[in-house]
Amino acid sequence: MRAYLRLVRLLRPYRGVMATSILFRVFNALATTLSLTLVQPFTRLLFTATTAGAATPRDEPIGGPLATHGLLAAPLGAWNLWLFGATPIVSFERLCAAILVLFLVKNLTDYLAVFLSVQAEQSAMRDLRGRVYAHLQQLSLRFYHGSRAGTLISRLTNDVDALRDSLASGVGDVLKDGLTLIGCLVVALSASWRLTLFAMLVVPPAGIALTVAGQKMRRRSGRAQEHMAELTTVLQENINGVRVVKAFGMERYEESRFDRANAAYRNAYVRLRGIAIALKPFAEFVTILVAVAIAWAGAREIFVHRGMPPERFFQFVTALLAMISPIKGLSEVNSKVAAGLGAADRIFGLLDTAPDIGDRPSAATLAPLAHAIRYEGVGFAYDEHEPVLHDVTFEVKRGEVVALVGASGAGKSTTLDLLARFYDPSAGRITFDGVDLREVTVASLRRQLGIVTQETILFHDTVRANVAYGLDGVPDAELEAATRAAHAHEFVARLPRGYDTVIGDRGVRLSGGERQRLAIARALLRNPPVLLLDEATSSLDTESERLVQDALERLMRQRTVLVIAHRLSTVQHANRICVFEAGRIVQQGTHAELLADAGAYRRLYDLQFRD
Ligand code: ADP
């Protein structure tokens, strides 16, 4: 219920539109009800004309007025005044006019009501998608690692759709079907309350019997499908494993396995058809049973009690038939609303996930790096039981290049991610000139960082937009300078539309080296004082490798750099190397110092860097 209220609250900004839509629905139900009241005068005119036709001259008024009574006294009275007392032809012309006008109003109001509610719903869903998307931007990498992309996409698409359906059913359909049902009931009651009560006794059991039979058939059909799936699996396994089956001489065994599944499917299908074949005659018989029962009760009202004119009986039957559609609609509301509430729970669950990396209320703006970045006894775990970093302590002075080396999985990338505050350490702290990173705003921290990873992410957009990502109004000259420095200008200039060529997933395909150089150009243009770099391990051809290498060296110049090193030249030129092993720094020093020592670095050097 809470979730549903929260859902309905989404519509609040559009309550004006919703109220108008509801107004049209009320008019719609009124028009439907009034159109039902026309049945009485219609049959009255028809029967009087045929029974009295020979005797009544064509220009004499026919029939007496309708008996007006009860709930419908007002509309019936109006029809009396307007329809009767004229010649038969004029009466029918007026009747036709009334039918046309009422159905015009009915359909027009239906259109307007639905169209307006679609607008309100879609606006509310647009707002919801926007809120979820904005919230997703706030959530940390930890959240994304714990979620599957497909699941998140489904929240924004399928779940929002299910939710819209339940809003439509919950608010719109209940109102529409409910009002129409009430209208029909009023018409039926006013025709004959005794017959209406009688119908209420016989119709529901028949409806329940038909529903139960339908459900039973659906269950059996589901079971038959399972048996068919089983049969297919046996066949598929047999085809895939044909070598094994033959090699082990298992043909007869496989045949008996198939026979079992085959027989099970046959039996399930016979049981399904047993119900399916019975369903239609059963439904027809039940319907006729109800119809005969009502006709019998109606006949008693007409002939035995002598009270009811036949036109009122027709009125009653029409109203009864008109109830079928709203009743069907209302019986489906429940399942739709339930599906929508499930979706609402999932969407609101996502919206209620608090971002775990954010600014503290007291967070200050981080000043440009003046002295050093320090990792002080940093520990970290992706999930509590498996720590991946232990007591990591090292320093990067301003302008230094510090290389992180170690086997894959040793914790190097995690160490860099902590500096960007993709995660926060679970022990120790990281400081910028002595200030704990958690004391400053995330935005001011990330403004100082440039991050170039192995995976170069390009968006489906122009080269210009990709290189200038996150920057506004970059002059062409600057853009070109950065691209030139990254050795990317030459190939960009050769693209069909130069800097305006669309690249990325669905755009022009670039080679691995070209993508890397664009990523370097992007970092150069941002010109960050601190650089987090993950050198690519994927092999490029020699020419491309040389260009990337040169571009990287330009990028590292004059900056404070933490680099996950895979190249010999990088480690040779680094001011310091931190050697990682299973989440710990086991050695620190320059290339020469570490080589002199017969430790972890020597082994790594022999494996990774030499040759
Ligand atoms: P390196 O960069 O040295 O290869 P990483 O920092 O990527 O090492 O990984 C360190 C350890 O953390 C590894 O054991 C890895 O399996 C684990 N790890 C990395 N990313 C995640 C993650 N998102 N969730 C859980 N464990 C992770």
Side-chain angles (χ1 to χ4, degrees), residues 90-168:
V90 172
S91 290
F92 265 104
E93 277 166 6
R94 289 183 181 172
L95 188 67
C96 289
I99 290 174
L100 285 181
V101 169
L102 277 179
F103 274 77
L104 185 69
V105 171
K106 177 179 153 173
N107 287 294
L108 201 64
T109 48
D110 187 45
Y111 164 76
L112 288 171
V114 174
F115 185 64
L116 287 176
S117 75
V118 163
Q119 288 205 338
E121 261 157 51
Q122 286 300 332
S123 307
M125 292 308 111
R126 175 199 55 205
D127 297 350
L128 182 65
R129 279 193 297 266
R131 260 168 62 194
V132 173
Y133 190 75
H135 190 71
L136 280 175
Q137 305 302 308
Q138 301 301 315
L139 293 174
S140 72
L141 282 192
R142 190 185 283 279
F143 168 82
Y144 281 93
H145 284 309
S147 323
R148 300 232 306 274
T151 315
L152 293 182
I153 290 170
S154 162
R155 292 287 164 280
L156 267 175
T157 52
N158 301 340
D159 282 348
V160 170
D161 281 351
L163 212 137
R164 181 206 55 215
D165 282 350
S166 93
L167 263 187

Side-chain angles (χ1 to χ4, degrees), residues 450-533:
I451 302 175
V452 179
T453 56
Q454 296 198 24
E455 271 177 278
T456 44
I457 306 291
L458 298 177
F459 295 98
H460 178 76
D461 207 334
T462 59
V463 172
R464 183 190 310 281
N466 264 288
V467 174
Y469 187 69
L471 301 172
D472 280 334
V474 178
D476 278 358
E478 259 180 59
L479 184 87
E480 199 185 307
T483 320
R484 266 188 203 285
H487 292 303
H489 178 74
E490 296 75 11
F491 81 79
V492 171
R494 277 199 307 273
L495 290 176
R497 307 192 53 203
Y499 283 89
D500 294 318
T501 311
V502 172
I503 53 174
D505 270 355
R506 285 170 297 132
V508 169
R509 293 274 168 183
L510 300 177
S511 76
E514 289 167 344
R515 297 168 71 91
Q516 278 180 18
R517 282 177 278 158
L518 279 188
I520 294 170
R522 186 189 272 170
L524 276 167
L525 190 63
R526 249 175 100 88
N527 195 20
V530 179
L531 187 66
L532 306 181
L533 189 63

Side-chain angles (χ1 to χ4, degrees), residues 410-425:
K412 306 177 297 290
S413 314
T414 307
T415 303
L416 290 196
D417 285 351
L418 291 179
L419 186 61
R421 279 198 78 196
F422 290 146
Y423 310 96
D424 280 334

Side-chain angles (χ1 to χ4, degrees), residues 36-84:
L36 284 174
T37 65
L38 278 177
V39 173
Q40 268 199 69
F42 180 75
T43 30
R44 176 65 170 275
L45 276 174
L46 212 57
F47 282 110
T48 324
T50 46
T51 50
T56 317
R58 290 158 71 80
D59 45 2
E60 287 280 298
I62 54 157
L66 291 168
T68 55
H69 53 87
L71 292 163
L72 291 181
L76 287 177
W79 297 144
N80 268 341
L81 274 184
W82 193 53
L83 289 178
F84 293 96

